[in-house]
Amino acid sequence: MTMQSSTETTILNVSRRKFLKQLGIGSGALVLATALPGLSPVYAADNLAGKANYEVGKAEHALNIFVSLDTDGTTSIVCHRSEMGQGIRTTVPQIIADEMQALWSNVFVVQGQADKAYGQQNTAGSSSIRGQFTRLRQIGAAVRHMLEQAAANQWQVAINEVTANQHVVINNITGEKLSFGELAIAASQLEAPELTTMKLKDIKDFNYIGKEVKLFDLEDIVAGEAIYSHDVQLPNMLIASIQRPPVVGGVVKSFDDAEAKKVTGVVAVIQLKPNTFPFRTNPLGGVAVLAKNTWAAQEGRKKLKIVWDNGEHASYNTANFSDELIKKVNQPGKSIRSAGDVYAHTYDPDRTVEATYSVPHINHSPMETEAATAWLQGKDKSATLTIWAGTQNPQGAQNLAAKECGIDVNQVTLNIPLMGGAFGRKSKPDFILEAVQLAKQVNVPVKVIWTREDDIKHGFYHSISANYMKAELVDQSKTEHGSNKVADYWIQRVAYPPIGWLFNGKQTRPNANDLSLGFADTPFQLDNLQYETQEASSHVRPGWVRAVSDINNGFAQGSFVDELAVKANMSARQMWLELLGSDRYVDLKQGGFKYNNAGLNPTEYPVDTKRLKDTLNLVCDKANVEEKTAQNEAWGISVIRSFGSYVAAATKVRVVNKQVKILEMHTAIDCGITVTPDRVIAQMEGAMVFSLSITLMGGISVKDGAVEQSNFHDSPVTRMNQSPPMFVHLVESEHPPGGVGEPGIPPIIPSITNAIYRASGIRIRHLPVNKELSV
């Protein structure tokens, strides 16, 4: 397969010849595999190239679209997913290089552009490895097969008489060797094999998978030399700063730009198209100030005088809405899963626990705010559009940009720099489309830059939510033959504005995918259960925030189990183990629920109670949660199965005079086969920091339709002095890889609040903690 090449463009004064030389490929070389994606950062594994350089290269022979091999053995592997700190630009080459038997020091990574030829490119849902592991292995194995076939042909032996190993192919009969580089031309002329026929390595034979390798990008990131969306510089480029409607659905009634145009450097003031309902991921509209530099654009924006029509959502207030949600979930709702008959049961008040939990809107707040550059060249149907943007959904943005310009998607080149965090925010292309809309109206490149205030006030937020829980502890003395269950007659309800509303304007209840995230997939061994939803409409833009509905569901479930343990005078660990019951695969169809968790195949990714219990026991043992603690100190724990992985958390806190101090945090994760251990550890550490922000002081409030927060002074994130010693424990596993980016959040949040209760007697049911305690 040959990947389509793009129009050659030189950026940052790096010539094509220099680019190919640094990649190790001569300008006339024959290469194995793919055309090199243009305008993309390229790094050598041994850091010989080491810097981000942008230029189009084109390989002359193609095997597949992921691997290129030069005659000197230099190997470039395309990463088709987006890098935002999770290490995917190391992990993808790591998998392919392992199966192809490449030498890691000869491997480069090339960032793939938006291109449907790669298949699905969404970097979301903790799916990049979970959904691609086998395919990436097959791609590497196919390259190995072609190299072995080329060597067998040269030696005139059968392919089973040769073996590829560490960048050479060995003749098993004579001991002769041919390097991958020597075989590049011959291999490139062979027909590519069918991927599904490839024989993959045994796990015990992995060279790189599960091992520590030198990370791509690391040195440049540390040295401040990595390229992000904000760093893109083009000749004659204008910077745009946009004043958006303060309320979703608001429109410009009128504006006065006279003072804005007086600011030195301001070139133009342009009104964007208003957004229409349903809002989807389109720009909000507003007025943009275009200038020769960032300062001028932002100063001009300050001087705009805009009169807004804020529309129907101007009456929205989160304080009232949260109360409404809490009232709703305390009433029977629409059943989505049931067994037995909880409503026919008479609850014993002395053995019953009932609680309601709430979570506010949550913003992503990545350290790098949104930015995108667009350059439209030519006119009408023959125009070409080039975009530079850190995005989690390259093809989605590419398609919408093409539609905006009225051109074919093949005329849109979307380049993906590194992202300084994303957490789901950059899966929405509104900021990219803003740049495209503005580029259509000027004849030069336009870079749209979001400020921190823009990011906080105009985000796609985790929905405000309420969860209700009720259960009764089983009285063993009243059962005829005794019972192996510690609790039963379990009711849980949830209400929040679903993300589907953003796209269709009609959905008011979570769908099966939403409910499969820590709600309807509860793994407890129960005879009587009732799971229900209530309706809720949205008044801000809901969106995927790291862990999605597992945030509120995990908080509610993890807190409620702890409350049951307190009621039963039992340790939290023991309560979890009793509720999980026997080692088994949970029947996800019990009670009529249609399970659909982020595309997980229940056969390949069953809910395994043994893995849940093992992960919980590991974190409890490593943290020594049953230790005798000092006065006003305590441990809290929780565990969950999320995005195909199993994560347990333990947090130790001190609470004195209503001041919370986090002392120590542990997580344990069983994510199946671990490809890049360092990045799994880093993501668990990041999950602990992210969860501290959400739990202790996170939350977005809305008054009269407008977000009240504006920056880190009133929408804080975890600071260094709030971050305790953190420990991550990896479970060795041969199960298929699960997700890693999101599963850490759901158990960590309740581990913090449970610890606060056990240290102080103050039960936090409504986040964030700083509504009740100092943090």
Side-chain angles (χ1 to χ4, degrees):
M1 180 183 289
T2 303
M3 193 178 72
Q4 294 181 344
S5 61
S6 304
T7 304
E8 292 197 3
T9 308
T10 302
I11 305 299
L12 303 179
N13 296 320
V14 178
S15 67
R16 181 177 188 276
R17 184 181 301 276
K18 180 179 179 182
F19 173 85
L20 294 175
K21 182 178 180 180
Q22 286 189 313
L23 188 59
I25 300 175
S27 60
L30 298 175
V31 299
L32 174 68
T34 180
L36 304 176
L39 301 169
S40 305
V42 180
Y43 298 93
D46 58 5
N47 206 40
L48 291 177
K51 309 299 179 188
N53 299 299
Y54 291 79
E55 164 65 334
V56 173
K58 185 175 71 172
E60 298 184 24
H61 293 266
L63 183 147
N64 61 49
I65 62 171
F66 282 88
V67 184
S68 299
L69 181 64
D70 188 25
T71 53
D72 69 356
T74 301
T75 303
S76 59
I77 298 178
V78 170
C79 177
H80 63 310
R81 296 297 176 104
S82 304
E83 178 64 62
M84 50 189 170
Q86 83 280 34
I88 196 66
R89 280 169 47 84
T90 296
T91 302
V92 166
Q94 200 172 347
I95 296 168
I96 293 175
D98 200 320
E99 284 290 349
M100 73 175 280
Q101 292 288 12
L103 191 64
W104 188 248
S105 60
N106 285 357
V107 173
F108 291 72
V109 63
V110 178
Q111 182 61 52
Q113 297 172 326
D115 193 329
K116 64 182 180 181
Y118 293 124
Q120 211 253 44
Q121 283 186 273
N122 290 358
T123 308
S126 297
S127 64
S128 291
I129 298 306
R130 171 171 57 80
Q132 299 278 308
F133 184 62
T134 299
R135 177 173 178 247
L136 293 172
R137 291 182 66 191
Q138 290 170 339
I139 289 168
V143 176
R144 180 184 74 232
H145 175 88
M146 295 184 74
L147 289 164
E148 289 177 335
Q149 186 64 65
N153 292 347
Q154 185 163 331
W155 287 321
Q156 296 185 339
V157 298
I159 191 172
N160 61 3
E161 294 179 344
V162 304
T163 303
N165 185 43
Q166 292 294 286
H167 239 72
V168 298
V169 178
I170 305 167
N171 187 319
N172 298 332
I173 300 173
T174 66
E176 292 179 87
K177 298 179 181 178
L178 288 170
S179 71
F180 280 9
E182 292 175 301
L183 295 167
I185 295 174
S188 69
Q189 297 170 352
L190 298 174
E191 183 178 350
E194 173 61 42
L195 292 183
T196 57
T197 66
M198 292 296 94
K199 181 179 180 181
L200 303 179
K201 285 183 172 184
D202 289 331
I203 292 175
K204 64 180 175 59
D205 295 326
F206 286 156
N207 294 323
Y208 307 129
I209 295 172
K211 311 295 195 304
E212 298 295 351
V213 299
K214 189 168 184 177
L215 302 175
F216 293 117
D217 308 313
L218 181 62
E219 293 184 4
D220 284 338
I221 290 172
V222 171
E225 296 179 358
I227 302 299
Y228 298 87
S229 295
H230 284 264
D231 298 318
V232 173
Q233 299 293 331
L234 299 173
N236 303 314
M237 182 176 70
L238 295 178
I239 305 296
S241 186
I242 302 171
Q243 191 68 27
R244 300 170 184 85
V247 179
V248 168
V251 296
V252 177
K253 290 179 68 175
S254 64
F255 71 96
D256 181 349
D257 61 3
E259 293 301 314
K261 289 181 176 179
K262 292 178 183 179
V263 175
T264 301
V266 169
V267 174
V269 177
I270 299 174
Q271 182 176 349
L272 292 168
K273 295 188 300 185
N275 199 353
T276 56
F277 185 80
F279 302 117
R280 299 187 175 90
T281 57
N282 295 320
L284 288 168
V287 180
V289 176
L290 282 67
K292 295 179 180 179
N293 57 67
T294 304
W295 181 89
Q298 293 180 352
E299 286 299 304
R301 173 181 168 185
K302 292 176 185 176
K303 296 183 181 298
L304 289 171
K305 298 176 183 178
I306 306 175
V307 179
W308 301 101
D309 178 352
N310 287 324
E312 64 178 296
H313 298 293
S315 62
Y316 177 53
N317 292 283
T318 48
N320 297 338
F321 195 78
S322 181
D323 291 342
E324 292 173 10
L325 292 179
I326 289 171
K327 290 177 182 177
K328 284 184 176 182
V329 296
N330 277 271
Q331 301 170 0
K334 179 182 178 181
S335 176
I336 56 96
R337 180 183 172 191
S338 64
D341 192 346
V342 299
Y343 289 124
H345 177 67
T346 301
Y347 284 85
D348 180 351
D350 293 331
R351 306 187 66 82
T352 299
V353 179
E354 185 176 18
T356 303
Y357 308 90
S358 68
V359 174
H361 291 297
I362 298 169
N363 191 45
H364 306 80
S365 296
M367 288 299 101
E368 179 209 22
T369 59
E370 300 83 344
T373 300
W375 189 3
L376 185 65
Q377 297 172 276
K379 295 182 179 180
D380 303 324
K381 297 292 184 180
S382 62
T384 60
L385 175 66
T386 306
I387 299 170
W388 294 260
T391 173
Q392 296 174 248
N393 185 8
Q395 291 177 36
Q398 183 186 40
N399 288 329
L400 289 173
K403 182 178 179 181
E404 175 66 35
C405 294
I407 58 178
D408 188 82
V409 69
N410 293 322
Q411 294 164 250
V412 179
T413 300
L414 196 155
N415 307 289
I416 311 162
L418 299 180
M419 286 181 278
F423 312 123
R425 174 59 183 93
K426 293 168 188 173
S427 63
K428 296 87 172 175
D430 58 327
F431 62 100
I432 299 172
L433 297 177
E434 287 175 335
V436 173
Q437 285 186 20
L438 294 171
K440 286 171 59 180
Q441 301 193 49
V442 295
N443 296 318
V444 295
V446 176
K447 177 162 65 176
V448 169
I449 292 178
W450 282 49
T451 64
R452 178 58 56 195
E453 288 79 6
D454 294 333
D455 173 74
I456 290 175
K457 285 186 171 294
H458 303 293
F460 292 82
Y461 309 103
H462 172 81
S463 284
I464 188 171
S465 62
N467 285 65
Y468 169 87
M469 311 286 290
K470 184 177 182 179
E472 182 179 290
L473 296 171
V474 172
D475 186 347
Q476 300 291 339
S477 67
K478 294 184 179 180
T479 58
E480 184 176 352
H481 301 292
S483 172
N484 62 349
K485 295 178 178 61
V486 68
D488 204 357
Y489 302 103
W490 193 283
I491 301 175
Q492 57 188 47
R493 305 185 189 114
V494 68
Y496 58 85
I499 294 173
W501 175 90
L502 182 70
F503 297 96
N504 60 32
K506 299 177 181 179
Q507 188 177 333
T508 57
R509 296 180 190 270
N511 61 23
N513 186 67
D514 301 328
L515 295 168
S516 297
L517 293 169
F519 185 78
D521 57 344
T522 300
F524 303 140
Q525 208 156 16
L526 304 167
D527 290 331
N528 299 275
L529 58 88
Q530 183 73 26
Y531 299 164
E532 301 170 347
T533 65
Q534 289 282 13
E535 289 188 301
S537 294
S538 189
H539 303 280
V540 298
R541 297 191 294 180
W544 303 278
V545 175
R546 187 179 188 181
V548 206
S549 53
D550 256 337
I551 294 175
N552 53 285
N553 294 331
F555 169 54
Q557 178 177 281
S559 299
F560 189 66
V561 171
D562 195 71
E563 295 204 45
L564 283 172
V566 172
K567 185 78 169 180
N569 194 26
M570 181 184 295
S571 74
R573 189 206 309 217
Q574 190 60 35
M575 177 56 72
W576 274 104
L577 296 177
E578 294 283 352
L579 286 170
L580 290 169
S582 60
D583 294 348
R584 70 196 191 287
Y585 293 163
V586 176
D587 181 6
L588 296 171
K589 296 181 180 179
Q590 179 196 24
F593 179 65
K594 296 181 180 180
Y595 177 82
N596 179 26
N597 185 317
L600 291 174
N601 182 339
T603 302
E604 189 177 12
Y605 291 93
V607 178
D608 186 339
T609 60
K610 183 178 187 304
R611 293 176 72 184
L612 271 167
K613 290 187 284 186
D614 288 348
T615 308
L616 176 68
N617 283 327
L618 176 63
V619 83
C620 289
D621 292 342
K622 291 292 186 180
N624 193 18
V625 299
E626 274 98 16
E627 68 174 346
K628 183 175 177 57
T629 57
Q631 187 177 8
N632 302 316
E633 295 181 4
W635 285 95
I637 65 170
S638 191
V639 64
I640 202 167
R641 182 258 195 187
S642 174
F643 292 93
S645 291
Y646 301 77
V647 182
T651 300
K652 186 178 183 181
V653 308
R654 179 190 301 129
V655 184
V656 178
N657 297 325
K658 291 194 171 183
Q659 173 73 48
V660 177
K661 175 70 175 178
I662 309 297
L663 301 177
E664 190 175 331
M665 300 182 78
H666 291 251
T667 56
I669 179 169
D670 176 357
C671 58
I673 296 172
T674 300
V675 180
T676 314
D678 176 85
R679 292 296 85 193
V680 176
I681 292 170
Q683 290 196 69
M684 287 297 103
E685 292 169 339
M688 287 186 263
V689 174
F690 194 88
S691 298
L692 284 171
S693 300
I694 293 174
T695 309
L696 298 180
M697 53 209 169
I700 293 295
S701 60
V702 179
K703 184 178 181 180
D704 298 330
V707 171
E708 294 186 290
Q709 290 73 24
S710 62
N711 209 310
F712 289 144
H713 70 286
D714 55 6
S715 182
V717 294
T718 305
R719 305 298 176 119
M720 290 180 67
N721 68 312
Q722 296 172 305
S723 301
M726 296 177 177
F727 304 89
V728 179
H729 313 286
L730 305 183
V731 176
E732 290 189 14
S733 175
E734 295 186 0
H735 290 284
V740 174
E742 294 168 279
I745 309 297
I748 296 172
I749 294 173
S751 79
I752 299 169
T753 55
N754 292 340
I756 289 172
Y757 173 80
R758 291 178 177 269
S760 67
I762 300 172
R763 176 66 68 181
I764 304 296
R765 291 176 174 169
H766 308 287
L767 296 182
V769 171
N770 67 356
K771 292 198 298 186
E772 298 186 45
L773 302 171
S774 298
V775 297

